[in-house]
Amino acid sequence: MSVPEGAAGPADPDGLEDRLRRFATIWSRAVFPATATPLTRAEFEECLLPLARLLRDALHARSFDTTPGGTVGAGLVAAHCTDPEALNRTLGVIDSYLILYCGTDELPAEDSRARCARLQHTLAAAYAQALRERTLAEQEAIARSALAARSDAEDALHATQTRFHAVFEGAAIGIGIGDLDGNVLEVNDTLTQMFGGLEHHVRSRNISEWVHPEDSPHVWRMYGELVRGEREHFRVEKAFYRNDGTVLWTNLTLSLLRDAEGAPQYQLALMEDTTERRLLNLRLRYEATHDALTGLPNRTLFFERLEKTLSAGDDARFGLCYLDLDGFKAINDSLGHSSGDRLLVEVADRLQSCATAQGEMVARIGGDEFVALTTGPGTEGKVTDLADRILNVLSTPVRLEGREFTVRGSIGIVEGPSAGRSPAEVLRSADITMYRAKAAGGNRYELADPEADARAITRHGLTTALPTALERGEFFIEYQPLVDLDDGTVHGAEALVRWSHPQHGVLGPDRFIPLAEHTGLIVPLGRWVLEQSVRQARFWQQELPEGALGGPLRINVNLSPAQLHHPGLVADTVEVLERIGLPPGSLCLEVTESALIGADEDLLKPLRQLAEMGVDIALDDFGTGYSNLANLRRLPVSVLKLDRSFTQGMQQHPADPVDLKIVEGIVSLAHSLELAVTVEGVETGAQAEQLRRLGCDTAQGWYYARPGPPEQLHTLSLADAV
Ligand code: C2E
Ligand code: CA
Ligand code: CA
């Protein structure tokens, strides 16, 4: 049996070498496109491996020393990583992966980080130094050989014809001699080779025929000056057509040779073939501006284009579609990255087919994020057409691993006059708008709207501030009494969380609970609310005279859907109740009707376990979720909380008869299922009376008390007792 690639063999029991190898692979993948190395990627990786080992050993060393960082920096330059981008990428890879793959448990994490940072510094400094030395050395070598060739040639001309030829033929640089009328007299072998290998192809030409469309105009002006004896030499980058039509790029130095008396006699051309280097540069430029996977322009090129578009002048307009695939992560996670990659390639091809008109461009700017840009007049209509076309081409399923996948996308559109906007601003607006399309269910486009942007930006701000808010103790809880409709005594209270935001003041839960839900912070936040509320209930039970109240005060705590799905729900709740010493029967968890619609047994199980222990479960906002009443039987709930909207219907005089009928029906159904009914949003005595007559058990609302500090309960329940 063969050992699969990447498995730790017996020689590497801890997998250290294996991880080092993976680090080297990542590093070489990142840096290879930015090198001028003649090696293949795999060979290049072999070069990096010893450097990676130096870094790892430095990270692990008993006494730390930065020298290996310097060795690695110089090593990179020696390995032809002379494009500064190679350094950038190297630092990025070290930052993200060195500790991950080559870290050690024997050092505290912050020490590893510090070592990593110092290695990066030394590496960068040594890299810069080595690059400078190398560049200087190269420049000197070129200058020396040009000078040598020139003075040797002059000497030779003045001396003997034989020696002249020896210099000529031995030179690694292309050398040609012409008379002042432009006739080619002598060329060396190197120069002949540059032009394709046939000497007469070169010899038969007059220099003035070697015009190329990319010549800058002053080339021929300087040439005129030189042959007239008004200039000693000049140096340009110049292209030539070879006889077969291909192009030769050169660094050309043309010098005037004078005779012993100083009169102009010949012209001497020294040529260095730069065709390969130019191609390499073009390739590097291509690679730096295109996405390796899909071949589409990448973020860099897109930004360049967008920048150009935005600075195109006062009347110019642009339209931008920002596309993010819906549910791409799920496909990637379930089918693996190579299938994910194939999907992206397919999407890229389809997108490209949508934007073929003049002034249109498609780019991939992130994992599953693409943009399409359109310019020119009429972008208002063009950009929505483009978005329609994109959604349309995506709608054909993609076949992967024998299965069909439907790819959907959300598009944010920004359209308008180019003037006065920066690319970053436009992209942010498009991104926010794309999220709006996603939030509205995806598979659609939305148009940017400055007001919605502003709202989204505050939302974004709140979202990022949430985690620290919990640490800093910016949340607090208000309690709203729950009152028995028969005798008006206080039964308990609902805990309602608030955020005392340092800039925006006190924020209600509707502003931040959905965000906390979205980011997952709701789990720790909910746990905190539970603990505080249970503590508060325990305190009330100890402090308030129970006999007068008709039973111990109870506490209602809201649970959001994400908490319901969290595997620790039951254990956390039990732990809090036991630690604080509150009987389970004193706690009621409120779950919204909509969170339980369509719930399967797995989701209900934790609630069922809690209910079996004696915790009450209330169905909150009942009547808004259109749940099947017959379904109630299946759910582990013991309380229905009728939504505020029913109570509002009772505000009118006379009360809405349909609402009355509905409430009456719900109450009798609930009672037949042995569920208690609580009503919310009771604002007047008339409503309270009406609801009491309809058979509701408990009420909550401003008529009794607004949500407030816990002390409010003391006053109210003591008033009851009296
Ligand atoms: P809810 O559970 O339906 O809470 C009742 C809401 O009605 C509260 O709004 C309360 O202040 C308000 N209210 C009470 N009496 C009246 C009244 O007579 N008239 C009117 N018009 N309104 C009344 P609040 O505090 O803004 O809470 C909004 C929602 O935020 C809650 O709705 C609940 O779903 C959620 N929430 C509050 N605290 C938490 C929490 O700790 N965790 C979770 N997951 N959600 C919470
Ligand atoms: Ca509630
Ligand atoms: Ca409610």
Side-chain angles (χ1 to χ4, degrees), residues 494 558 590 592 619-622 641-644 680 700:
E494 178 175 0
N558 292 286
E590 300 191 359
T592 59
L619 206 50
D620 203 354
D621 299 349
F622 186 78
K641 286 191 84 172
L642 265 194
D643 188 64
R644 211 159 60 217
E680 293 185 309
Q700 177 180 358

Side-chain angles (χ1 to χ4, degrees), residues 380-390 445:
E380 296 98 317
K382 279 205 292 197
V383 74
T384 47
D385 285 350
L386 182 58
D388 278 328
R389 285 204 299 278
I390 291 175
Y445 64 76

Side-chain angles (χ1 to χ4, degrees), residues 590-644:
E590 300 191 359
V591 183
T592 59
E593 185 192 7
S594 51
L596 289 188
I597 286 183
D600 56 14
E601 210 27 57
D602 280 349
L603 188 67
L604 293 178
K605 196 168 159 218
L607 288 183
R608 220 179 274 294
Q609 285 175 331
L610 288 166
E612 278 160 9
M613 281 164 24
V615 174
D616 269 318
I617 309 291
L619 206 50
D620 203 354
D621 299 349
F622 186 78
T624 56
Y626 311 105
S627 71
N628 182 348
L629 290 179
N631 235 346
L632 284 177
R633 211 184 298 272
R634 215 167 59 81
L635 303 176
V637 297
S638 47
V639 181
L640 284 192
K641 286 191 84 172
L642 265 194
D643 188 64
R644 211 159 60 217

Side-chain angles (χ1 to χ4, degrees), residues 290-298 323 325 328 339-356 361-372 386 389-390 393-394 396 398 407:
H290 287 76
D291 170 39
L293 177 66
T294 63
L296 287 183
N298 65 9
L323 166 76
L325 301 183
F328 174 71
S339 295
D341 283 356
R342 265 183 293 143
L343 182 78
L344 290 173
V345 170
E346 174 67 29
V347 167
D349 289 349
R350 293 187 186 185
L351 292 180
Q352 191 126 49
S353 73
C354 294
T356 49
M361 144 188 227
V362 170
R364 176 177 181 218
I365 59 169
D368 62 342
E369 290 164 21
F370 298 86
V371 285
L386 182 58
R389 285 204 299 278
I390 291 175
V393 292
L394 289 181
T396 315
V398 179
V407 186

Side-chain angles (χ1 to χ4, degrees), residues 4 22 109 117 135 190 209 229 249 288 296 330 334 401 439 448 468 500 535 618 655:
R22 277 195 239 166
T135 313
T190 311
E209 291 170 28
W249 274 95
L296 287 183
S334 61
E401 319 229 322
T468 33
S500 172
R535 219 182 271 290

Side-chain angles (χ1 to χ4, degrees), residues 146 149-154 157 164 168 174-178 186 207 226 232-234 252-257 266-271:
R150 180 179 165 185
S151 69
D152 287 358
E154 280 175 342
L157 264 182
F164 174 73
F168 228 54
I175 304 178
I177 293 186
E186 295 280 351
I207 291 170
L226 186 122
E232 293 307 308
H233 52 81
F234 67 87
L252 167 70
T253 310
L254 205 62
S255 309
L256 182 64
L257 299 182
Y266 299 110
Q267 48 176 318
L268 169 72
L270 302 173
M271 295 166 114

